[in-house]
């Protein structure tokens, strides 16, 4: 079973346990009831920003929604190279959480990879969420669009931005982009 299906089952299970109407959760996610139900049915990706809002609503760690388990470490947490709990949002987006085992972490660091889109495929839809985000490119070329501004980042470049502004990303030059993302 893929990550989106597992997350969708946790979303539905928590809503049913807490007896919260679908309409309330759609409001929390700032989306329509129909779209929220699609998220619960595993038909679409809820996105980290919506999962963050949901975790706050339930008073649980984001990790519980993403991975189904509570973080345990509170002094330090090591993620070895190539490891980290995976969150696959889209076919072209891959995230590995770098702090999933640290209890009460204040930020969400991810090792992120974005594959190039197939020929003729449009850019991903823009999303926005509360907080701020930091990105530093390790390999490849990333195009990030924030509102109407298109910015190209290359190896060693970084960007820090307000995530309440609609944004999306894509790999350029027909090569996978690898970068660190930190969401606060």
């Amino acid at each position: 079973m893929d990550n989106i299906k597992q997350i969708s089952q946790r979303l539905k299970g928590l809503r049913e346990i807490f007896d919260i109407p679908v309409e309330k959760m759609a409001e929390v996610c700032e989306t329509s009831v129909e779209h929220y139900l699609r998220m619960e049915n595993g038909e679409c990706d809820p996105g980290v920003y919506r999962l963050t809002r949901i975790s706050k609503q339930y008073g649980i760690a984001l990790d519980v929604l993403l991975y189904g388990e509570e973080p345990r470490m509170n002094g330090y947490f090591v993620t070895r190279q190539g490891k980290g709990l995976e969150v696959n949002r889209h076919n072209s987006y891959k995230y590995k959480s770098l702090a999933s085992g640290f209890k009460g972490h204040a930020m969400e660091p991810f090792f992120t990879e974005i594959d190039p889109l197939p020929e003729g495929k449009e850019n991903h839809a823009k999303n926005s969420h509360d907080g701020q985000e930091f990105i530093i490119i390790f390999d490849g070329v990333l195009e990030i669009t924030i509102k109407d501004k298109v910015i190209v980042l290359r190896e060693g470049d970084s960007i820090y931005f307000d995530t309440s502004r609609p944004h999306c990303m894509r790999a350029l030059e027909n090569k996978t982009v690898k970068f660190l993302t930190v969401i606060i």
Side-chain angles (χ1 to χ4, degrees), residues 18-170:
F18 286 102
D19 195 28
I20 297 177
V22 174
E23 294 79 9
K24 172 64 178 169
M25 292 312 298
E27 182 181 312
V28 166
C29 293
E30 298 178 342
T31 192
S32 67
V33 170
E34 294 77 20
H35 188 257
Y36 182 81
L37 287 171
R38 289 183 58 225
M39 290 174 7
E40 271 194 6
N41 292 325
E43 297 168 5
C44 68
D45 170 28
V48 173
Y49 64 99
R50 286 195 177 105
L51 291 175
T52 301
R53 295 180 66 86
I54 293 167
S55 69
K56 287 179 183 175
Q57 172 70 29
Y58 291 132
I60 61 174
L62 176 61
D63 295 344
V64 173
L65 289 175
L66 290 174
Y67 314 114
E69 59 185 59
E70 215 31 80
R72 293 179 183 83
M73 302 300 290
N74 59 13
Y76 64 89
F77 180 75
V78 175
T79 304
R80 299 290 179 194
Q81 182 177 350
K83 304 295 181 190
L85 289 174
E86 289 189 24
V87 181
N88 294 320
R89 290 188 47 203
H90 306 283
N91 290 338
S92 63
Y93 280 60
K94 296 174 197 81
Y95 293 91
K96 286 188 180 179
S97 175
L98 302 177
S100 61
F102 192 86
K103 191 172 190 167
H105 53 273
M107 60 181 155
E108 295 291 341
F110 296 98
F111 178 76
T112 311
E113 292 184 24
I114 299 178
D115 293 328
L117 293 171
E119 186 83 25
K121 174 95 166 131
E122 289 293 317
N123 205 2
H124 293 291
K126 290 181 186 173
N127 67 61
S128 61
H129 48 94
D130 295 335
Q132 299 171 354
E133 189 165 335
F134 171 78
I135 294 172
I136 185 165
I137 308 300
F138 296 138
D139 190 31
V141 181
L142 179 74
E143 177 186 273
I144 181 166
T145 303
I146 303 172
K147 248 185 148 183
D148 297 324
K149 179 71 175 172
V150 177
I151 303 160
V152 175
L153 301 172
R154 299 180 183 284
E155 185 177 333
D157 291 345
S158 66
I159 187 168
Y160 192 102
F161 63 97
D162 177 351
T163 57
S164 68
R165 295 171 183 253
H167 58 279
C168 64
M169 300 171 220
R170 71 179 179 136

